[in-house]
Amino acid sequence: MASNLEQFARNSLEFRPSDVRLMLERVHSHIVKPRMSAEELRKVVTGLGFASVEAFGDQIGLERRTSESWSRYGLSRDAAQLLLALLNYRTRLVDAMDDFEKTTQIPLDGFFENQQLP
C-alpha cells in the first residue's frame, strides 16, 4: 500500500494536462467497454492449461480476492486482450512443437510441461 501511495505521489508531481485524456481512457476501459465474461475467462485460463481462474491467479501471484472477483465478474477488456494474446501465443507454440515433433520424432511438450516457472 505504501509503495502505491509513493508511486501515486511521484506521478502526481509529473502530472500534465495531457494525462487527463489517459485517465479518462482508463475509466472508459473499465466502466464502458464490454468486459470479458466470467465464462470466457474460464475458457481462456483452461486453454492456458489451468484448472481454474484461481489456479491461474495463484500461479501469477494475484491476491486470492482478485482471482475470485475475476472468476465471478470477468475481466476488463484491456486485461482480457493481454490474456487472449497469451492464449494465441501458447496455441502457436503448441502448433509449432507439434510440427517439430512430427518432423523429428522428438517430443518437446513433455520437456516444457516438466519445467518449473521461476
Side-chain angles (χ1 to χ4, degrees):
M1 176 78 173
S3 64
N4 288 345
L5 291 175
E6 290 171 11
Q7 181 181 8
F8 178 75
R10 276 194 310 273
N11 289 344
S12 296
L13 291 173
E14 299 171 3
F15 184 80
R16 298 182 306 254
S18 61
D19 290 341
V20 172
R21 180 182 55 83
L22 299 174
M23 289 187 322
L24 291 174
E25 174 56 32
R26 179 93 177 176
V27 169
H28 183 263
S29 176
H30 282 272
I31 295 175
V32 178
K33 288 184 181 176
R35 297 178 66 80
M36 173 184 273
S37 71
E39 295 78 26
E40 290 173 303
L41 178 58
R42 282 191 283 278
K43 288 179 185 176
V44 170
V45 297
T46 300
L48 290 171
F50 296 94
S52 67
V53 174
E54 291 81 7
F56 172 73
D58 291 344
Q59 179 66 40
I60 65 170
L62 281 180
E63 292 182 16
R64 181 51 77 125
R65 67 176 181 249
T66 302
S67 300
E68 290 170 353
S69 172
W70 286 5
S71 183
R72 171 132 181 169
Y73 302 112
L75 201 55
S76 66
R77 185 53 51 189
D78 52 352
Q81 287 176 303
L82 290 172
L83 281 183
L84 290 170
L86 286 174
L87 180 59
N88 182 306
Y89 176 76
R90 182 183 191 281
T91 302
R92 289 188 347 227
L93 181 62
V94 167
D95 290 346
M97 288 179 358
D98 288 344
D99 288 344
F100 180 83
E101 183 176 334
K102 287 176 188 172
T103 304
T104 64
Q105 302 299 316
I106 300 172
L108 290 177
D109 59 344
F111 171 77
F112 284 111
E113 289 176 3
N114 291 328
Q115 300 300 308
Q116 294 294 320
L117 294 175

